[in-house]
């Protein structure tokens, strides 16, 4: 879905100095005319030539008139900016539309537009517009692109005006700016059945009791307003009073996506680094689970979640799903390495209740952190871990692999604790690893006598 953000600029007026500001904008030609006029006036006084005085006054007044008119005209030009879209994935392009409108009764001279953009979005765009008639408007556009996530300000827009004679040149800056949000790339994932789902009730729906808790397993007493069609006659005969059946309502299955952001767990930087792969993977799983109707929550090693997120996460349904996905994408757009050294805070959050399906994107793990991650499995109905080894990601193509380190041992520990642990080689596609995790879980379930 394409979204657009529009920002109407207001002038940064600075009327202090008035004519002084106008004179400061005189070009070399304007200053030369002014100096020549003053010199001609002095010579006419010394030589007593009145005709030379008229020429001197003409030369001196012309740049002053141009500066005064241009100084008054620059506040009569309106500018606006519009982004389409305002949120793009890394590597995608957005188009910026600039619109200038002459709201004065006089035509403008030559207009030069310059929009300020961060260097990661490309070169600074510059445009030259010819004379704009009174009440006329001009529109130009340019493209921006970034391979790096983040929020990038666009603006302020600068407008440089010149008079038809080239005597004066003034710059006007507009105060407002817009923000382009570059979110992680989202990879489509196959609709596999990992865990956390209830059979027979759709992808992400479970059945729950509508009115009472889990301990109330018998029909309840009749209450005023209850539908008589819900009367449970067998229980009524047994207890000697009207008893009604308790209805069931669908409850969304839950999924928690854990993103390891520890700085010591990832080495390397740039769009092809292991950390960027993990962020893009977390974004893909979040969007995929929302589309399947899960209640989704994003969790980091610091124990923090998305601002405004409830205890059960965001529910995926219609417009709410799109809004939730946008909010989580905005959070992932600016997420960075944390200074923490462990996963204990995330474990404290997870052990507070049953979390349904747990999908984790983990960096380098030592023995202690691998043990903490292993304990996280106890509070989830299913757990999938994508473990990234920094040594593998830093190795250049063609390099001879070094001796085996503890990464294989960490994967074994996670698998023994119940995780479906998958090692992530450099440049791997998440969809392939997603299917691999489903096959591995299916093999474990078949060996253990579990259902699909």
């Amino acid at each position: 879905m394409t979204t657009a953000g529009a920002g109407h600029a207001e002038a940064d007026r600075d009327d202090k100095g008035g004519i002084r500001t106008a004179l400061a904008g005189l070009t070399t030609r304007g200053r030369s005319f002014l100096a020549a006029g003053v010199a001609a006036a002095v010579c006419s006084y010394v030589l007593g030539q009145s005709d030379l005085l008229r020429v001197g006054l003409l030369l001196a007044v012309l740049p002053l008139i141009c500066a005064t008119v241009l100084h008054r005209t620059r506040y009569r030009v309106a500018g606006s900016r519009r982004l389409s879209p305002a949120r793009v994935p890394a590597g995608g392009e957005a188009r910026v539309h600039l619109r200038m409108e002459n709201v004065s009764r006089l035509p403008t001279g030559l207009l030069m537009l310059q929009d300020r953009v961060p260097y990661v979005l490309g070169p600074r765009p510059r445009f030259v517009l010819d004379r704009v008639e009174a009440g006329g408007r001009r529109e130009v556009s340019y493209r921006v692109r970034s391979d790096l996530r983040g929020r990038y300000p666009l603006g302020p827009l600068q407008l440089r005006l010149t008079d038809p004679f080239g005597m004066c040149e003034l710059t006007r800056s507009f105060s407002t700016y817009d923000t382009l949000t570059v979110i992680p790339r989202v990879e489509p994932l196959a609709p596999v059945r990992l865990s956390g789902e209830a059979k027979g009730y759709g992808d992400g729906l479970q059945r729950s009791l509508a009115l009472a808790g889990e301990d109330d397993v018998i029909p309840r007493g009749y209450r005023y307003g209850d539908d008589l069609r819900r009367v449970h006659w067998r229980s009524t005969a047994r207890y000697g009073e009207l008893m009604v059946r308790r209805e069931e309502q669908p409850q969304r299955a839950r999924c928690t996506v854990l993103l390891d952001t520890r700085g010591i767990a990832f080495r390397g930087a740039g769009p092809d680094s292991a950390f960027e792969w993990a962020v893009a993977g977390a974004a893909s799983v979040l969007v995929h689970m929302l589309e399947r109707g899960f209640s989704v929550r994003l969790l980091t090693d610091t124990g923090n979640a998305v601002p405004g997120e409830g205890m059960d996460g965001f529910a995926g349904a219609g417009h709410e799903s799109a809004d939730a996905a946008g909010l989580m994408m905005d959070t992932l757009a600016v997420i960075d390495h944390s200074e923490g050294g462990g996963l204990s805070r995330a474990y404290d959050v997870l052990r507070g209740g049953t979390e349904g399906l747990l999908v984790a994107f983990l960096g380098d793990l030592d023995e202690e952190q691998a043990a903490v991650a292993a304990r996280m499995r106890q509070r989830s109905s299913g757990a999938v871990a994508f473990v990234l080894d920094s040594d593998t990601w830093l190795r250049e193509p063609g390099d001879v692999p070094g001796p085996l380190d503890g990464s294989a041992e960490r994967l074994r520990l996670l698998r023994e604790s119940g995780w479906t642990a998958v090692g992530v080689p450099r440049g791997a596609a998440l969809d392939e690893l997603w299917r691999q995790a489903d096959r591995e879980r299916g093999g474990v379930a078949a060996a253990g006598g579990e259902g699909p």
Side-chain angles (χ1 to χ4, degrees):
M1 179 180 63
T2 301
T3 59
H8 293 278
E10 296 294 339
D12 289 335
R13 297 197 178 193
D14 185 8
D15 292 332
K16 297 179 180 179
I19 190 65
R20 182 184 305 173
T21 303
L23 292 177
L26 290 176
T27 62
T28 302
R29 179 185 298 179
R31 295 176 185 274
S32 299
F33 268 64
L34 182 60
V38 173
V42 172
C43 292
S44 67
Y45 177 77
V46 174
L47 301 177
Q49 297 291 330
S50 58
D51 294 336
L52 186 59
L53 177 61
R54 297 188 185 95
V55 174
L57 291 178
L58 177 61
L59 294 176
V61 170
L62 181 59
L64 296 179
I65 294 177
C66 291
T68 303
V69 173
L70 193 62
H71 184 263
R72 294 175 59 87
T73 303
R74 69 172 181 165
Y75 295 126
R76 307 288 291 177
V77 179
S80 65
R81 181 192 299 104
R82 179 171 57 88
L83 302 181
S84 178
R87 184 190 291 126
V88 296
E93 288 187 347
R95 183 171 289 275
V96 183
H97 301 269
L98 301 178
R99 179 178 178 180
M100 305 304 301
E101 184 175 1
N102 182 14
V103 296
S104 68
R105 298 180 180 179
L106 299 175
T108 67
L110 192 66
L111 300 180
M112 288 174 284
L113 298 179
Q114 177 177 278
D115 207 7
R116 181 173 300 176
V117 300
Y119 71 94
V120 296
L121 298 182
R124 182 170 296 182
R126 294 180 175 88
F127 303 93
V128 178
L129 303 180
D130 292 333
R131 175 179 177 272
V132 180
E133 65 279 5
R137 63 189 62 175
R138 298 289 187 272
E139 292 187 4
V140 294
S141 64
Y142 64 93
R143 295 180 179 180
V144 290
R145 179 183 180 275
S146 175
D147 292 327
L148 299 176
R149 299 175 293 107
R151 292 173 60 87
Y152 301 102
L154 300 179
L157 177 66
Q158 291 184 339
L159 175 65
R160 185 174 298 177
L161 303 92
T162 60
D163 65 280
F165 301 100
M167 298 290 180
C168 186
E169 183 178 279
L170 295 179
T171 301
R172 172 185 173 184
S173 296
F174 297 89
S175 60
T176 61
Y177 64 92
D178 294 279
T179 301
L180 176 68
T181 304
V182 180
I183 62 176
R185 296 186 185 95
V186 174
E187 183 177 347
L189 301 179
V192 300
R193 193 178 187 89
L194 291 172
S195 184
E197 307 168 34
K199 302 175 184 178
Y201 299 104
D203 285 340
L205 300 180
Q206 296 175 340
R207 301 293 282 185
S208 69
L209 301 175
L211 300 175
E214 294 292 341
D215 294 333
D216 186 8
V217 295
I218 61 175
R220 62 171 177 82
Y222 175 82
R223 298 173 185 171
Y224 179 77
D226 286 339
D227 190 349
L228 293 178
R229 290 176 295 182
R230 293 171 49 204
V231 174
H232 193 266
W233 296 109
R234 182 177 299 179
S235 299
T236 299
R238 178 181 178 182
Y239 292 100
E241 60 176 322
L242 281 177
M243 306 292 292
V244 295
R245 296 186 302 271
R246 297 167 57 204
E247 292 183 345
E248 294 180 338
Q249 66 181 9
Q251 177 184 0
R252 298 188 180 279
R254 302 173 62 185
C255 175
T256 298
V257 177
L258 172 62
L259 176 60
D260 185 4
T261 62
R262 296 172 299 140
I264 60 174
F266 296 93
R267 286 179 290 172
D272 297 328
S273 64
F275 181 69
E276 292 301 321
W277 191 98
V279 174
S284 301
V285 173
L286 287 170
V287 173
H288 175 72
M289 288 302 181
L290 278 174
E291 291 176 349
R292 297 190 63 183
F294 277 68
S295 292
V296 180
R297 180 170 67 166
L298 173 62
L299 183 66
T300 66
D301 56 286
T302 61
N304 297 327
V306 180
E309 186 180 63
M311 293 296 295
D312 295 332
F314 292 104
H319 294 292
E320 295 181 1
S321 175
D323 295 340
L327 184 57
M328 287 188 285
M329 292 301 103
D330 289 343
T331 301
L332 290 175
V334 296
I335 201 167
D336 202 354
H337 291 294
S338 66
E339 298 180 356
L343 303 172
S344 57
R345 292 184 180 179
Y347 172 71
D348 293 338
V349 175
L350 291 174
R351 70 178 180 178
T354 303
E355 296 299 325
L357 176 63
L358 174 61
V359 181
F361 292 86
L362 305 173
D364 294 335
L365 298 173
D366 55 21
E367 294 184 4
E368 180 181 357
Q369 300 311 314
V372 174
R375 292 196 300 269
M376 294 179 182
R377 174 64 179 86
Q378 302 172 1
R379 305 305 303 176
S380 60
S381 59
V384 180
F386 298 95
V387 183
L388 295 89
D389 182 12
S390 294
D391 292 335
T392 303
W393 281 78
L394 292 176
R395 189 179 301 132
E396 295 295 335
D399 290 351
V400 178
L404 295 178
D405 53 14
S407 58
E409 180 66 20
R410 307 295 181 261
L411 289 174
R412 185 188 63 82
L413 178 61
L414 292 177
R415 289 166 181 162
E416 289 180 351
S417 62
W419 283 85
T420 301
V422 179
V424 181
R426 180 178 181 179
L430 176 61
D431 183 59
E432 297 179 0
L433 299 179
W434 186 252
R435 295 175 185 269
Q436 177 184 344
D438 178 57
R439 291 192 299 268
E440 292 184 5
R441 180 189 176 278
V444 173
E450 298 180 5

